C-alpha cells in the first residue's frame, strides 16, 4: 500500500475518532449543570473541533 494511502487511512480514522469525541463533549457541555464544568467542557469541545479542522487539512494536503 502506498505511503499516502496509509496516511490517508490513519488520518481518516483520526478524523472519525476526534469528531465523535467533539460531539460527545458538546453534548456533555449542553447537559452540564455547573458553570465551571460547562466552561471546561466547552473548552474541550473547542479544542477537539480544532483537531477536526487540522486533521481535515492534513487530508487535503495528502490530496494535493
Amino acid at each position: 500500500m502506498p505511503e499516502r494511502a496509509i496516511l490517508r487511512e490513519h488520518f481518516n480514522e483520526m478524523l472519525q475518532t476526534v469528531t465523535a469525541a467533539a460531539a460527545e463533549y458538546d453534548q456533555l457541555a449542553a447537559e452540564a449543570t455547573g458553570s465551571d464544568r460547562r466552561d471546561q467542557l466547552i473548552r474541550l469541545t473547542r479544542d477537539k473541533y480544532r483537531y477536526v479542522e487540522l486533521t481535515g487539512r492534513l487530508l487535503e494536503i495528502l490530496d494535493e
Side-chain angles (χ1 to χ4, degrees):
M1 184 181 282
E3 293 163 355
R4 284 183 179 251
I6 293 169
L7 286 173
R8 188 175 292 106
E9 182 179 323
H10 286 292
F11 290 151
N12 275 319
E13 290 172 10
M14 286 173 46
L15 184 59
Q16 290 173 357
T17 301
V18 76
T19 300
E24 185 67 26
Y25 282 127
D26 202 19
Q27 180 66 32
L28 290 171
E31 296 172 356
T33 55
S35 63
D36 288 341
R37 184 164 192 238
R38 184 179 306 115
D39 290 345
Q40 289 175 341
L41 289 165
I42 288 170
R43 189 172 29 255
L44 286 170
T45 301
R46 202 174 20 237
D47 290 347
K48 293 301 174 193
Y49 279 119
R50 180 68 179 139
Y51 290 133
V52 169
E53 292 173 15
L54 293 172
T55 304
R57 181 62 186 126
L58 287 170
L59 286 167
E60 288 174 10
I61 289 170
L62 282 175
D63 290 337
E64 293 177 353

